[in-house]
Each structure stands twice: as structure tokens, then as C-alpha cells.
Amino acid sequence: MSFLPFGQSGSGKDRFLAPSVQDTLGPSPVAAYRFELCQEGTYQLVFHVRASNVRRREESFAFVAAKRPGAYSALAEAEHGYLRMLCERAPDHVVRPFRGGWIYLPDRHNRPEHGRDIYAYVTQWLAGFYELGVAGNLQLCVNVKNRHLFSLAQTEELKAQMVEIIAR
């Protein structure tokens, strides 16, 4: 990928990706990142990031980036805040969020007035877990290649578990 979580015009210090990786792998400098787009929604892109440091330790993360500045970025920033709050209240039931911040994306023709800032954040990567979606009939489903639709009873049980997490 060609974007980096740096400040305006790509200058400045990495404010959240490398510090998030170092929170997990230790203070050694990050040696490499491998980004793979794993999900695209209406408002955001989710990347599976494999990061390694100079000591050859490796870990996987989720990198969630808003698709546009403005309302989409505000939504991603709010989502990150809610995720932090939920994780504090129910750490055994919610993905662990790390840091977040703003990424400057320059215009493809390098026109500064057309550049934009979007919000992105980093979470732990939960191997073996998939996004839970809502089908047209309001039943829950798992968004994978061979989509799995939960029964009405299973959907109600999952909803009850979500309410329990939020209530905690």
C-alpha cells in the first residue's frame, strides 16, 4: 500500500500504526508491514496487517480506515471511541482497540488543495472470526465467501449476547 499514517502531506512521525505495533511487539523498530484488503463496507475499508519488527517478531492487526473525509471519518472516529469504551467494560468480549489518528491522502495529481484527511485506527486481529452482518430480513449473517445466515432463534440469542456486552 502506498499510504502511511503520517501527518499532513506525508511528513511527520507515524502517530498510531507503529506505536500500536510496538505496544504489542515491544519497543524495537518496525521492519515491515504487509497490508491485505479483507473487507470493504459502505463507510470503511478493513485491512489485515502483518507487522514485524527488527527482532523478527510478527503479529497481525486490523487497520480500519474511513473511505472518505467528513462524515465517514467522523463515523470511524466515533466507532473507535465506542470500541475503546466497550473494551474497557467487557475486555473478554470485545476486540482490543489500539491507537487511531488521521491520515493525509494526497490527490493523485499532487494538487495540495485536493488532498484529504481521513480517520483510521488499529485493533487486534482476531484470527478465525468474521464480520457479523444483517441480512435483508433482519436475521444475522456471517459475511464470508459462502455466506452463513443464522436462524431466527440463533439471531435472537446473538442479539441478547450483544445487549449483555453493551449493558456491562
Side-chain angles (χ1 to χ4, degrees):
M1 286 284 121
S2 60
F3 64 86
L4 293 173
F6 294 147
Q8 186 75 357
S9 303
S11 63
K13 186 177 178 189
D14 176 351
R15 295 186 185 118
F16 67 93
L17 183 57
S20 295
V21 170
Q22 289 173 324
D23 286 347
T24 302
L25 296 180
S28 297
V30 178
Y33 296 110
R34 236 178 43 216
F35 284 76
E36 177 185 351
L37 179 63
C38 66
Q39 187 230 328
E40 179 174 359
T42 303
Y43 305 104
Q44 64 191 13
L45 301 169
V46 180
F47 295 87
H48 179 198
V49 179
R50 289 181 183 89
S52 59
N53 65 14
V54 295
R55 294 179 181 249
R56 298 180 192 247
R57 290 189 63 202
E58 193 171 284
E59 190 64 53
S60 289
F61 300 87
F63 184 87
V64 181
K67 289 177 85 171
R68 294 185 185 157
Y72 288 15
S73 285
L75 184 63
E77 187 174 24
E79 177 181 81
H80 185 221
Y82 294 138
L83 191 57
R84 287 178 165 281
M85 185 173 44
L86 283 172
C87 188
E88 286 175 16
R89 293 180 180 177
D92 294 337
H93 295 83
V94 179
V95 67
R96 181 178 172 207
F98 294 107
R99 299 170 197 219
W102 294 89
I103 301 170
Y104 176 77
L105 296 174
D107 174 57
R108 66 178 171 219
H109 301 293
N110 290 322
R111 298 172 294 190
E113 66 275 9
H114 292 284
R116 60 222 179 270
D117 289 302
I118 62 162
Y119 191 82
Y121 63 92
V122 180
T123 70
Q124 75 184 116
W125 181 260
L126 295 177
F129 289 83
Y130 302 96
E131 176 193 19
L132 190 63
V134 180
N137 59 2
L138 300 181
Q139 283 177 258
L140 296 176
C141 61
V142 177
N143 289 325
V144 292
K145 186 176 181 179
N146 295 321
R147 185 174 167 185
H148 173 75
L149 185 65
F150 290 100
S151 70
L152 289 172
Q154 291 170 323
T155 294
E156 291 306 313
E157 176 61 29
L158 288 168
K159 287 179 184 177
Q161 290 175 12
M162 287 182 237
V163 169
E164 179 185 343
I165 289 169
I166 293 168
R168 285 186 188 180

